[in-house]
Amino acid sequence: MSLDAKIPQGPLAEKWSKHKFNLKLVNPSNKRKYDVIVVGTGLAGASAAASLAELGYNVKSFCFQDSPRRAHSIAAQGGINAAKNYQNDGDSVYRLFYDTIKGGDYRAREGNVYRLAEVSVNIIDQCVAQGVPFAREYGGLLDNRSFGGSQVSRTFYARGQTGQQLLLGAYSALNRQIHLGKVKMYTRTEMLDVVVIDGHAKGIVTRNLKTGEIETHAGHAVLLATGGYGNVFYLSTNAIGSNVTAAWRAHKRGAYFANPCYTQIHPTCIPVTGDHQSKLTLMSESLRNDGRVWAPKTVEVAEKLRKKEITAADVKEEDRDYFLERKYPSFGNLVPRDVASRNAKEMSDEGRGVGTTGLAVYLDFAEAIQRMGEDTVRAKYGNLFDMYLQITDENPYKQPMRIYPAVHYTMGGLWVDYNLSTNVPGLYAMGECNFSDHGANRLGASALMQGLSDGYFVIPYTLGDYLATIGPKKVDTSHPAFEQTKQDVIAYNNKLLALKGNKTVVEYHRELGHIMWEYCGMARTEEGLTKAKAMIKELKADFWKNAIVTGENEEVNAALERAGRVADFIELGELMVTDALNRRESCGGHFRLESQTEEGEALRDDENFAYVSAWEYTGDNQEEVLHKEELVFENVKLTQRSYK
């Protein structure tokens, strides 16, 4: 199948406007004849469900949490980008577009990224109208701060809880539609499969997590907004429940999975302390505005710090290496996440890491507190500092934070075209669930922007085009495909429940995470990836032989839920390694040690790899088929990224 991204013709700045005009419309009285399924209630899902219901569509909304507002978008801290240029510091829609393309190491579509930058200004207006309490500067305008990969201040924020406030705005809009009866909300309900009829997505199969009942739901279209798959690494900044199951089951029904190896490692996380941990905690990238990242200049000083013979305060200024400021004077501590992460790893690899494990560097606010005063720092970052204190029992006002890279965001996901449609008609993917707009590395504060862009300002237009094409003929669950897909799900769940081995599912998940982090994490090699692929195959075989899944289906059964998700993670892990092996270049978060510049930066191979890798599922234990969407650059010049 040829991959048609459906990028509109014409000048970059006119593509989206012209495309909207050319899309088919559904008149208001006909909208109520269509049923739309939205899976996920984060920023993308909640905004899409609310917007579509406001337009008049009948919406069914699903989440596995006990409330829509518990979606993982609530965990985003630092801010959301928009090209408002309130600071009058040189920002523009085109500069946001360029920074995003460059930040993604030229592995994203120009058309998608420009549209994202273009609608960013509308997102802020929408959220302010909803009452989102963005910070304001003395003149009353919304305040901005900087994030990595940019030399302007364009990030709007609500202290260190921007995601929570934005989600509350979308959640209130969703609740209004629930109250009006235009959205039917299904909480504690997990999607386990997609129903495909004559090549079109027409519904989903779910499991009621309170009763275990397997249910079917019909709709004219299915919209997935189910987040990323960072938990394939076991330890990540994601909520423990975050998983790939909805997207992966859609993949097994025909939807292509794109760029799965693109994983973002966030440089500003609280370091790992031991095998007892089930997740990691993020310290917002916004902290790098005022915090200075450093490591000891010598191994000898680092060893004394690790042995607690001295404290950070005892290290003289001349013995500190502010390595990001030294290596990247133009951007300093605000280089993109992939660059900052690799440099922190380099410090630890050289033996200059701090903390008991040596897997950490310092993020120091002493200079900022001296310059601005503790009260000002507390006003900007107080809740983040409090969180760090509660987790580590260390006071960041008195001593530097210890930080180290950890898995955060995934730039891969279901392949979608300009309309956010997968290659399966009627099946759409939004937000982190799709591969879309970030290329091989996501700039900070762009995830919230993309989720709300997709939900508020893209899908309401593009979905209507599809629905107008197929017409409002009623879809219901009496079609044999619904019963067949339901039986497939029941059989799969029974297969999991039949596992009565001696190893818990969590043990398998932890083993998978170790393999992925070691061989498909911050640095990757041909040898390591080949080894990882064989190890994952062995792990998968052992899982289906020796795992133990307790309980029954017809009850609350967290063990069954976890087993299905881990089984999907194992299969995804194998595809991620396959994709990383195929891409013999370094770009953004995908760093092949065989492909780097003399200065240790990512070295792309534009001649051979300027494409989106879209993988087609061909059956259990079968190699997936690679399809390529060539990336065309008409407005930016492909250059070696430099933040010096």
Side-chain angles (χ1 to χ4, degrees):
M1 172 188 259
S2 64
L3 289 175
D4 181 8
K6 298 181 180 175
I7 305 296
Q9 298 296 313
L12 188 64
E14 298 175 12
K15 288 182 185 294
W16 179 230
S17 296
K18 288 186 175 180
H19 188 65
K20 285 190 291 185
F21 179 76
N22 291 327
L23 291 171
K24 295 183 179 69
L25 299 176
V26 179
N27 82 53
S29 62
N30 281 342
K31 286 187 173 76
R32 55 179 175 266
K33 300 176 183 177
Y34 290 96
D35 301 317
V36 179
I37 290 171
V38 180
V39 186
T41 57
L43 289 181
S47 59
S51 299
L52 294 169
E54 182 73 35
L55 287 171
Y57 297 109
N58 305 306
V59 178
K60 289 184 177 182
S61 177
F62 297 82
C63 71
F64 64 72
Q65 297 94 343
D66 57 1
S67 167
R69 64 161 294 182
R70 290 176 64 85
H72 188 58
S73 298
I74 206 167
Q77 298 169 342
I80 176 172
N81 288 331
K84 285 285 197 181
N85 195 31
Y86 282 161
Q87 305 286 337
N88 204 26
D89 58 358
D91 200 13
S92 65
V93 168
Y94 192 87
R95 188 176 295 278
L96 176 53
F97 154 74
Y98 177 76
D99 286 347
T100 307
I101 284 281
K102 177 184 176 183
D105 219 347
Y106 304 95
R107 289 293 176 264
R109 295 182 191 135
E110 285 188 339
N112 282 67
V113 176
Y114 191 89
R115 176 176 65 188
L116 180 63
E118 183 181 352
V119 303
S120 69
V121 296
N122 300 328
I123 294 171
I124 301 303
D125 295 340
Q126 173 99 356
C127 295
V128 169
Q130 289 176 334
V132 174
F134 287 119
R136 294 180 181 268
E137 48 87 47
Y138 75 98
L141 289 176
L142 301 183
D143 199 10
N144 290 120
R145 54 191 178 199
S146 296
F147 259 60
S150 170
Q151 291 180 304
V152 299
S153 295
R154 63 161 68 100
T155 304
F156 296 78
Y157 64 97
R159 296 189 72 186
Q161 49 183 265
T162 312
Q164 175 174 327
Q165 298 302 326
L166 290 171
L167 186 61
L168 287 173
Y171 173 64
S172 65
L174 175 62
N175 259 352
R176 178 173 180 269
Q177 297 304 323
I178 294 172
H179 177 71
L180 292 172
K182 292 303 293 181
V183 173
K184 187 172 183 180
M185 189 70 232
Y186 295 82
T187 58
R188 298 291 291 143
T189 304
E190 183 169 26
M191 174 192 146
L192 295 179
D193 215 335
V194 179
V195 179
V196 179
I197 301 174
D198 298 329
H200 290 243
K202 293 297 182 184
I204 60 174
V205 179
T206 63
R207 180 174 182 269
N208 184 315
L209 300 184
K210 294 178 289 188
T211 66
E213 185 177 357
I214 306 300
E215 303 166 325
T216 56
H217 302 272
H220 291 90
V222 176
L223 281 54
L224 302 184
T226 50
Y229 49 87
N231 278 348
V232 68
F233 289 86
Y234 185 68
L235 286 181
S236 82
T237 65
N238 287 240
I240 294 174
S242 297
N243 63 83
V244 76
T245 289
W248 190 253
R249 303 290 173 87
H251 174 54
K252 295 176 84 167
R253 287 293 177 186
Y256 292 170
F257 211 101
N259 296 336
C261 78
Y262 288 169
T263 306
Q264 180 166 83
I265 312 293
H266 198 296
T268 319
C269 298
I270 298 178
V272 175
T273 56
D275 286 339
H276 64 283
Q277 284 180 277
S278 56
K279 78 175 299 295
L280 298 175
T281 303
L282 174 71
M283 289 286 100
S284 169
E285 182 174 311
S286 63
L287 295 172
R288 289 196 274 145
N289 271 282
D290 293 304
R292 301 181 71 192
V293 180
W294 65 274
K297 281 187 177 179
T298 65
V299 174
E300 290 74 22
V301 173
E303 286 179 348
K304 289 181 179 180
L305 286 164
R306 290 195 290 269
K307 294 176 181 177
K308 298 186 178 180
E309 295 175 1
I310 61 174
T311 67
D314 297 323
V315 181
K316 297 177 182 178
E317 195 69 18
E318 59 265 27
D319 292 329
R320 301 180 178 195
D321 180 11
Y322 296 93
F323 53 93
L324 294 179
E325 297 174 33
R326 169 174 57 83
K327 295 178 68 173
Y328 308 98
S330 293
F331 283 75
N333 294 300
L334 286 171
V335 292
R337 292 173 179 176
D338 62 316
V339 178
S341 294
R342 281 196 296 275
N343 278 273
K345 180 180 185 296
E346 186 180 300
M347 295 299 107
S348 293
D349 290 346
E350 291 177 3
R352 296 198 278 144
V354 299
T356 55
T357 64
L359 297 176
V361 294
Y362 287 128
L363 181 62
D364 198 334
F365 282 84
E367 187 273 336
I369 291 172
Q370 184 178 18
R371 171 169 45 88
M372 299 186 296
E374 185 174 316
D375 288 344
T376 301
V377 172
R378 192 181 299 274
K380 294 175 74 172
Y381 309 115
N383 60 314
L384 297 171
F385 278 46
D386 292 343
M387 185 165 64
Y388 183 87
L389 172 63
Q390 291 172 20
I391 293 171
T392 66
D393 198 29
E394 297 173 6
N395 186 346
Y397 293 103
K398 304 300 182 184
Q399 62 191 94
M401 290 183 179
R402 290 175 295 106
I403 58 168
Y404 197 67
V407 172
H408 180 54
Y409 189 92
T410 47
M411 285 75 67
L414 293 178
W415 181 90
V416 294
D417 62 19
Y418 192 70
N419 294 327
L420 305 183
S421 171
T422 70
N423 57 293
V424 177
L427 180 65
Y428 292 77
M430 305 175 294
E432 192 178 357
C433 180
N434 71 36
F435 86 99
S436 199
D437 298 345
H438 307 298
N441 174 59
R442 178 175 69 77
L443 289 186
S446 288
L448 306 184
M449 179 172 61
Q450 189 211 335
L452 293 177
S453 167
D454 288 354
Y456 281 137
F457 298 109
V458 179
I459 201 68
Y461 288 95
T462 60
L463 178 63
D465 182 70
Y466 170 74
L467 296 177
T469 301
I470 64 169
K473 183 180 178 181
K474 189 67 178 174
V475 181
D476 61 57
T477 57
S478 63
H479 192 284
F482 281 89
E483 182 61 26
Q484 180 59 57
T485 309
K486 178 179 178 179
Q487 291 306 316
D488 291 344
V489 168
I490 292 172
Y492 188 78
N493 281 359
N494 288 338
K495 183 180 177 182
L496 289 168
L497 289 166
L499 294 173
K500 301 302 177 187
N502 54 17
K503 236 173 125 174
T504 68
V505 169
V506 174
E507 290 179 84
Y508 284 103
H509 195 181
R510 187 181 288 114
E511 285 183 36
L512 174 66
H514 281 310
I515 295 169
M516 295 301 295
W517 179 253
E518 183 69 25
Y519 302 110
C520 199
M522 273 193 282
R524 305 161 180 187
T525 65
E526 188 91 10
E527 179 184 5
L529 290 165
T530 302
K531 181 179 179 180
K533 188 163 183 177
M535 293 174 74
I536 295 172
K537 284 181 181 291
E538 291 178 11
L539 187 71
K540 180 180 179 181
D542 193 68
F543 174 90
W544 287 106
K545 182 180 179 182
N546 294 316
I548 179 170
V549 181
T550 57
E552 304 294 335
N553 181 60
E554 290 76 20
E555 61 183 6
V556 173
N557 190 340
L560 175 60
E561 296 167 31
R562 189 71 175 263
R565 295 168 189 173
V566 172
D568 292 335
F569 275 138
I570 291 172
E571 293 180 357
L572 168 67
E574 186 175 353
L575 180 61
M576 291 173 68
V577 170
T578 299
D579 190 44
L581 270 169
N582 168 75
R583 191 168 286 276
R584 291 180 172 86
E585 65 162 356
S586 291
C587 55
H590 169 63
F591 193 76
R592 290 284 295 263
L593 289 178
E594 306 94 336
S595 184
Q596 53 184 308
T597 66
E598 292 181 359
E599 297 177 320
E601 304 294 344
L603 180 62
R604 296 191 320 273
D605 179 355
D606 295 327
E607 184 176 348
N608 295 303
F609 293 100
Y611 62 76
V612 175
S613 58
W615 296 90
E616 178 185 3
Y617 179 79
T618 58
D620 288 345
N621 300 311
Q622 302 295 314
E623 288 293 320
E624 301 215 2
V625 174
L626 173 63
H627 300 269
K628 299 178 182 179
E629 180 203 330
E630 301 296 333
L631 291 169
V632 178
F633 295 93
E634 300 173 336
N635 298 275
V636 297
K637 183 180 179 182
L638 295 177
T639 59
Q640 174 64 37
R641 273 197 313 170
S642 175
Y643 293 94
K644 295 184 181 297

